[in-house]
Amino acid sequence: MVTALKPILIGKTLGSEWRQYEEAFPKLQQSKIDIISLECHNSHVPMDLIELIRGKKVMVGTIDVNSIETPEEVANTLRKALQFVDADKLYPSTNCEMAPLSRKVARGKLNALSAGAEIVRQELTA
């Protein structure tokens, strides 16, 4: 079972950090959910909160819808996440769907995701 966490608010702002995950993550940690999808690149969710779900598989969103990331940007997001997610439980992924993007932009983003993940994979096996 995959759970994607996105705050749902109408007419409100969560500020610069989305700390409400501090309440949700311990509940997810105790649940039968085995993989959690989380926006990480250019996100307001403090990366250290992932520690609260250590042991779960985490889909780490490393690309967003704003621009085409470089492989190094993707790798940097993954490196940060590895402080809180065991390498065998980290799944590089997108922050969200890419349906509204042109094929060229989506392909560029997926290429960056693949190349960035390969950079970190090489670092882990060196």
Side-chain angles (χ1 to χ4, degrees):
M1 177 186 308
V2 176
T3 296
L5 295 174
K6 290 188 180 186
I8 300 172
L9 293 175
I10 299 173
K12 293 185 179 182
T13 179
L14 294 173
S16 63
E17 287 192 345
W18 294 354
R19 305 284 320 176
Q20 78 278 13
Y21 289 87
E22 288 176 295
E23 294 178 26
F25 280 1
K27 293 173 185 166
L28 289 171
Q29 178 61 30
Q30 295 173 1
S31 75
K32 293 181 181 182
I33 294 170
D34 60 347
I35 188 165
I36 298 164
S37 174
L38 186 64
E39 296 178 358
C40 294
H41 182 68
N42 289 333
S43 173
H44 293 289
V45 178
M47 188 78 76
D48 63 325
L49 292 184
I50 299 175
E51 179 68 40
L52 298 172
I53 52 173
R54 188 175 287 275
K56 296 282 187 184
K57 297 173 188 169
V58 180
M59 294 172 61
V60 174
T62 59
I63 59 175
D64 61 26
V65 297
N66 296 320
S67 62
I68 298 177
E69 295 77 6
T70 66
E72 194 57 41
E73 287 175 307
V74 171
N76 285 337
T77 301
L78 294 173
R79 288 183 196 109
K80 289 176 191 171
L82 281 168
Q83 297 174 54
F84 311 104
V85 180
D86 298 327
D88 64 329
K89 304 230 186 280
L90 188 147
Y91 294 80
S93 66
T94 63
N95 273 3
C96 55
E97 72 282 345
M98 293 191 293
L101 303 176
S102 72
R103 187 172 289 188
K104 179 181 177 182
V105 171
R107 185 172 287 122
K109 292 172 113 15
L110 291 175
N111 287 339
L113 174 61
S114 176
E118 183 59 26
I119 290 169
V120 174
R121 202 174 292 117
Q122 292 298 320
E123 292 171 359
L124 291 172
T125 59

